[in-house]
Amino acid sequence: MKKFFKILMWIIIGAVFVGTFVFLYRNSAPKEERYEIVSPQTVTIERSTVLTGKIEPRDEIEIKPQISGIIAEINVEAGDFVHSGDIIAKIKVIPDENSLNSAQNRLDVANITLAQAKSEFERTKKLYDKKFVSREEYEQSETAWKKAKQEVDAAVDALSIVRDGISSVNAQQSNTLVRATIDGQILEVPVKVGSSVIQANTMNDGTTVAKIADMRNLIFKGKVDETEVGLLAPGMPTTITIGALSGVTPEATIEYIAPKSTEENGSNTFEVKAAIVVPDSVRLRAGYSANAAVTLQRAADVMSVPEGVIEWQGDSTFVYVLTSGDAPKQTFDRKAITTGLSDGVNIEVKSGLDASARLRGLKITE
């Protein structure tokens, strides 16, 4: 029995030894490498870039008052459409005491002068009727009386403007009425009734009562990296994609590329503007985030191969052309080619390759 177990142990040891030897031999033997085979294709290759930016009105107008005071009435709100000349707000004037006193004194003096001129004119008229004074003296007296009346009217108007901001002669054109200067949509009304406002002058920009823009005339404003700005030109078409509006892709045309770069996060970028063609069925809003896809280069109906089959060596490019695919292994011939435009997946082959060639692709793993 002991002899049987001894023989069995040696058999097991021998089997393990033989199995190990066979396993090592198979792993150390050279394996046959096989590759996928690809052929050139005729395709259209485009190189494109995507600009990030937002939708903006071409002209956004800030409406400012022509006189300082307090907002007494607001006739519009954001989203309303207005026409040029429409009244947006009314301002109540808070008069300056010195200006008010000066205007009042002017009116008082004008009334005194008028009373005197009227008295002299009436006296001169009586004397003229009796032929005691000349016609020239009579006309001078009449002219002085008329001038005095005009001065009173002017003083009354000046007092009305200082006190109320309204001209007694033409109240419709008063500076207290803030009017729209263009046809468009109200984007923002940053003031409320009771807010103090000041007119624009050399010391400040004035208070903005409302912002108006023509939302039918929109542009895309974005940025392009300095590595691609040289490939852009005014007049190039682009397609706008708006994140907030799925399926809406209005067309646009580049009309402006900044001549000077700005530095952002360590890289130089250039501002780009494109005029958008807004479909009648689409309502765009100012401030929408958007992307603009621009085709930088295009090669139509050219021979191409997958970029992964290209071997790069300096400025030269090579491919491996299949010469034999029979067992026991594939054989390839290294061949130099001239390449052109690439879209990151396929690359144009300008010369050095026949359309019927079969090329080495990715290695097949078993």
Side-chain angles (χ1 to χ4, degrees), residues 60-71 73-74 76 88-91 178-181 185-201 204-213:
E60 182 176 317
I61 307 300
E62 294 185 353
I63 306 300
K64 299 179 183 291
Q66 298 179 355
I67 194 169
S68 299
I70 294 176
I71 297 292
E73 181 180 323
I74 296 177
V76 297
I88 293 176
K90 295 181 180 180
I91 297 176
V178 182
R179 298 177 181 272
T181 56
Q185 185 177 17
I186 301 293
L187 300 183
E188 182 182 1
V189 182
V191 295
K192 298 179 180 179
V193 173
S195 300
S196 296
V197 295
I198 57 176
Q199 68 183 105
N201 53 46
N204 58 70
D205 295 333
T207 305
T208 298
V209 176
K211 294 181 180 180
I212 305 176

Side-chain angles (χ1 to χ4, degrees), residues 99-315:
S99 300
L100 184 61
N101 290 335
S102 178
Q104 184 63 57
N105 291 336
R106 176 185 173 185
L107 178 59
D108 293 341
V109 172
N111 282 324
I112 293 173
T113 302
L114 176 61
Q116 182 182 359
K118 181 179 180 182
S119 177
E120 290 181 357
F121 170 69
E122 290 175 347
R123 183 169 56 251
T124 303
K125 185 177 185 302
K126 290 179 181 180
L127 294 174
Y128 175 73
D129 292 341
K130 295 178 180 182
K131 308 298 183 180
F132 290 149
V133 296
S134 65
R135 182 176 180 82
E136 179 181 2
E137 188 175 351
Y138 168 74
E139 290 177 348
Q140 290 177 349
S141 176
E142 184 181 24
T143 300
W145 174 54
K146 290 180 179 179
K147 286 183 177 179
K149 289 200 296 182
Q150 288 291 332
E151 176 59 25
V152 170
D153 292 340
V156 170
D157 194 52
L159 178 61
S160 177
I161 291 174
V162 171
R163 183 184 57 215
D164 304 320
I166 301 175
S167 171
S168 58
V169 177
N170 190 358
Q172 290 299 317
Q173 299 300 321
S174 170
N175 289 343
T176 61
L177 302 178
V178 182
R179 298 177 181 272
T181 56
I182 63 170
D183 295 347
Q185 185 177 17
I186 301 293
L187 300 183
E188 182 182 1
V189 182
V191 295
K192 298 179 180 179
V193 173
S195 300
S196 296
V197 295
I198 57 176
Q199 68 183 105
N201 53 46
T202 56
M203 301 298 294
N204 58 70
D205 295 333
T207 305
T208 298
V209 176
K211 294 181 180 180
I212 305 176
D214 183 358
M215 296 304 292
R216 297 166 299 180
N217 189 3
L218 299 175
I219 62 171
F220 167 83
K221 183 184 290 186
K223 298 285 187 179
V224 63
D225 190 81
E226 63 180 338
T227 59
E228 296 180 328
V229 69
L231 300 174
L232 296 179
M236 293 180 68
T238 178
T239 301
I240 307 299
T241 303
I242 303 170
L245 301 175
S246 60
V248 176
T249 55
E251 299 297 321
T253 303
I254 295 176
E255 61 180 18
Y256 170 80
I257 302 172
K260 183 180 179 180
S261 68
T262 57
E263 185 174 346
E264 293 185 0
N265 301 322
S267 63
N268 292 329
T269 59
F270 292 80
E271 184 179 70
V272 176
K273 296 179 182 179
I276 302 176
V277 180
V278 183
D280 294 336
S281 59
V282 176
R283 183 179 179 182
L284 299 183
R285 300 179 185 274
Y288 271 148
S289 297
N291 294 326
V294 185
T295 299
L296 302 176
Q297 294 174 298
R298 188 173 188 269
D301 300 328
V302 295
M303 182 191 298
S304 73
V305 296
E307 196 165 303
V309 307
I310 301 294
E311 181 183 89
W312 306 87
Q313 186 174 340
D315 295 333

Side-chain angles (χ1 to χ4, degrees), residues 37 320-326 330-333 357-360:
I37 303 301
Y320 287 85
V321 180
L322 180 68
T323 57
S324 174
D326 299 331
Q330 298 168 314
T331 57
F332 299 92
D333 183 24
R358 304 175 67 197
L359 310 178
R360 187 180 77 180

Side-chain angles (χ1 to χ4, degrees), residues 329-348:
K329 64 178 182 179
Q330 298 168 314
T331 57
F332 299 92
D333 183 24
R334 188 169 184 258
K335 191 172 185 179
I337 62 171
T338 303
T339 57
L341 184 63
S342 171
D343 61 5
V345 178
N346 296 313
I347 187 168
E348 177 187 3

